[in-house]
Amino acid sequence: MATRRRAREIVLQLLYEADVNPGREPESSYAFLRSRMQGRKALTKFGDQLLVGTLEHRQQIDEQIGKLTTNWSLSRMAIIDRNILRLGAYEILFGDTPGSVAITEALALASRYGDKNSPRFINGVLDKVLKNKRTGAAP
């Protein structure tokens, strides 16, 4: 299974690792991604763009998510939820993926890797991110 969804799953693993154990060499992350994409260059490039972009914009993304989540600081969120939110917010704010598709893909990740409440929580936050982007409103 080498699809964009699979690329997102691999990127989520790398974001999780970067969150709990920063310091992995970028080339090592790229090699991991490349090996999991089984030589599919377009998917490897897509995954690399997601990973690099999310990490480069992480501070901006975290600030926006922090403003949109009442009573939840990023440090209190489950690590998997936090990184699904980062990935989804990156795609909405900085990527080429349509916002509704980014949310759908984030919900698929949350359903597979999060707990029973993850999809609802992630949907609510990413919906706010998308609405703010569409209206040009600050969070």
Side-chain angles (χ1 to χ4, degrees), residues 62-73:
D62 285 358
E63 287 172 9
Q64 185 155 10
I65 291 170
K67 291 175 185 175
L68 295 173
T69 53
T70 53
N71 301 322
W72 279 99
S73 65

Side-chain angles (χ1 to χ4, degrees), residues 19-139:
D19 203 2
V20 298
N21 188 20
R24 183 178 198 163
E25 293 295 320
E27 182 52 41
S28 174
S29 295
Y30 183 73
F32 179 80
L33 178 66
R34 189 175 54 238
S35 72
R36 296 308 182 272
M37 291 294 93
Q38 303 167 347
R40 291 185 167 86
K41 291 180 182 179
L43 288 174
T44 302
K45 182 179 177 184
F46 173 72
D48 189 52
Q49 289 171 340
L50 289 179
L51 178 62
V52 171
T54 303
L55 292 174
E56 284 179 357
H57 294 283
R58 189 163 96 174
Q59 183 176 349
Q60 287 174 274
I61 292 166
D62 285 358
E63 287 172 9
Q64 185 155 10
I65 291 170
K67 291 175 185 175
L68 295 173
T69 53
T70 53
N71 301 322
W72 279 99
S73 65
L74 275 128
S75 62
R76 285 188 55 215
M77 291 177 197
I79 297 169
I80 198 73
D81 290 353
R82 179 170 57 230
N83 285 290
I84 292 170
L85 284 171
R86 286 174 174 155
L87 180 57
Y90 169 76
E91 286 197 82
I92 291 168
L93 297 171
F94 304 102
D96 296 332
T97 306
S100 59
V101 174
I103 292 173
T104 299
E105 290 298 320
L107 292 176
L109 291 171
S111 294
R112 183 163 186 185
Y113 297 104
D115 68 21
K116 67 178 182 166
N117 298 314
S118 296
R120 184 173 168 203
F121 174 67
I122 287 168
N123 186 51
V125 176
L126 291 180
D127 187 56
K128 289 178 188 177
V129 171
L130 182 58
K131 284 179 182 173
N132 284 346
K133 181 184 178 191
R134 286 180 176 162
T135 63

Side-chain angles (χ1 to χ4, degrees), residues 6-26:
R6 180 69 179 141
R8 287 181 181 94
E9 289 177 349
I10 303 305
V11 169
L12 179 60
Q13 291 173 17
L14 291 166
L15 290 173
Y16 187 103
E17 179 185 36
D19 203 2
V20 298
N21 188 20
R24 183 178 198 163
E25 293 295 320

